[in-house]
Amino acid sequence: MKLLTKFIGAVLALALPVGAFAQNVTVKGQVIDTNGEPMIVVNVAQVGTTNGTVTDIDGNYSINVPSNATLQFSFMGYKTQTVAVAGKTTINVTLEEDTELLDEVVVIGYGVQKKSDLTGAVASVRQESLKALSTTDAAAAL
């Protein structure tokens, strides 16, 4: 019986430190742009996992992650930002526009694709050219 008690004690002693390292925290915060406007549907993901969420209409999010996790914030047309949780429970993020990335995006019907993924012809129309026209019909302007 003494041997069994010692064995159970040793197993518990080994299991307790593992639980201490794997503590989860709920991280909350808000994602805004450089103008201070809340950003809707920004992807908030734990790096290296499929654990993630998106921001609500006010730019707020909440995600349950290990206290030593790293979060990645990403949104089309903005620079991706990575932040270490380091035990914090509130992380607010400001995303900056990525103008280089916007040059590579093509709007097609109801979706968006990168220029490199297209197989058909692509034409670009500059804003200055459209301003010079006196039509109110977008299709006629193109």
Side-chain angles (χ1 to χ4, degrees):
M1 188 68 173
K2 256 187 180 177
L3 183 59
L4 181 62
T5 306
K6 286 183 181 181
F7 177 73
I8 291 173
V11 169
L12 288 176
L14 291 174
L16 289 177
V18 173
F21 288 113
Q23 291 179 353
N24 284 357
V25 293
T26 299
V27 179
K28 297 179 180 183
Q30 184 180 37
V31 181
I32 59 173
D33 62 12
T34 53
N35 297 322
E37 296 294 322
M39 295 184 65
I40 303 168
V41 196
V42 173
N43 291 314
V44 181
Q46 179 184 347
V47 174
T49 70
T50 59
N51 183 20
T53 187
V54 294
T55 58
D56 64 14
I57 195 163
D58 297 316
N60 297 317
Y61 71 93
S62 177
I63 186 170
N64 192 22
V65 295
S67 60
N68 61 349
T70 302
L71 295 179
Q72 185 175 55
F73 299 83
S74 61
F75 190 75
M76 178 71 88
Y78 287 79
K79 294 180 181 175
T80 298
Q81 192 169 338
T82 305
V83 180
V85 173
K88 293 180 271 188
T89 57
T90 303
I91 299 176
N92 295 317
V93 175
T94 302
L95 292 183
E96 297 177 19
E97 288 184 13
D98 188 355
T99 54
E100 289 181 23
L101 180 63
L102 288 177
D103 288 339
E104 299 299 319
V105 173
V106 178
V107 178
I108 53 164
Y110 297 107
V112 175
Q113 286 187 340
K114 290 184 178 182
K115 280 185 181 178
S116 60
D117 294 339
L118 293 176
T119 57
V122 175
S124 297
V125 178
R126 298 233 178 256
Q127 182 178 0
E128 295 80 24
S129 302
L130 294 176
K131 283 183 180 179
L133 299 175
S134 62
T135 182
T136 58
D137 182 20
L142 292 175

